[in-house]
Amino acid sequence: MGATATTTVPTNAELMEALAAVGAAYFQDFAAAAARHGLSSSQAKALGAVQEPVPMRALAGRLGCDASNVTGIVDRLEALGLARREASAGDRRVKIVVISEQGREILALVRGEMSRTHQSFETLSDEQRSALHSICHQVLPVLSGRQ
């Protein structure tokens, strides 16, 4: 009689630990690449969050921080020429953050230099990449509260 492989379904706790470990490793790779371009991870994350123009308050929500913290982040991005503030057409009191072309270029460089992340994704087959992408899009709305 041949041995049969049994698959153990991970518990929620095991999935949370695995996701946390992947997230931490990704963040370390991202932060190191951002630092090579003189950016903090928060500044680089903000560039990724403003691919389309975003109000300051909405940017704070995307970054998971207080609106007062976003002011400092955007101040630094403006000083570097990576983003700018514009008044909203509908309400001049609302400031919109817009990424500059230079900001797009720097963000692309940061993402391109995340060598450990790229190496990890290259170990996946096309089917695994598609499955991971699908799973991320399935759980993200629930995790982010945007159901």
Side-chain angles (χ1 to χ4, degrees):
M1 200 157 184
T4 59
T6 59
T7 302
T8 304
V9 176
T11 65
N12 282 355
E14 291 169 329
L15 287 172
M16 287 188 277
E17 288 299 319
L19 184 59
V22 168
Y26 172 88
F27 180 77
Q28 289 172 351
D29 199 22
F30 180 74
R36 287 191 290 275
H37 293 278
L39 298 175
S40 69
S41 57
S42 295
Q43 293 161 350
K45 186 176 176 186
L47 285 177
V50 296
Q51 293 300 295
E52 300 295 326
V54 176
M56 292 279 286
R57 186 165 302 282
L59 179 56
R62 289 181 184 186
L63 297 178
C65 66
D66 190 73
S68 62
N69 293 342
V70 170
T71 299
I73 293 169
V74 175
D75 284 348
R76 176 74 173 139
L77 294 176
E78 278 190 311
L80 294 170
L82 305 179
R84 67 183 178 281
R85 289 181 185 92
E86 297 178 354
S88 169
D91 184 346
R92 307 281 302 161
R93 296 170 296 177
V94 174
K95 298 301 177 199
I96 307 294
V97 182
V98 179
I99 192 170
S100 69
E101 190 55 41
Q102 182 183 2
R104 287 186 197 284
E105 291 169 6
I106 292 293
L107 181 60
L109 289 172
V110 167
R111 289 177 173 168
E113 292 175 11
M114 295 175 64
S115 59
R116 290 187 319 218
T117 300
H118 287 280
Q119 289 170 357
S120 69
F121 290 155
E122 289 165 4
T123 69
L124 302 176
S125 68
D126 288 350
E127 182 178 281
Q128 289 171 321
R129 291 168 71 91
S130 294
L132 178 59
H133 189 258
S134 177
I135 290 166
C136 288
H137 282 283
Q138 182 179 347
V139 300
L140 184 59
V142 179
L143 283 172
S144 66
R146 291 185 249 154
Q147 298 178 1

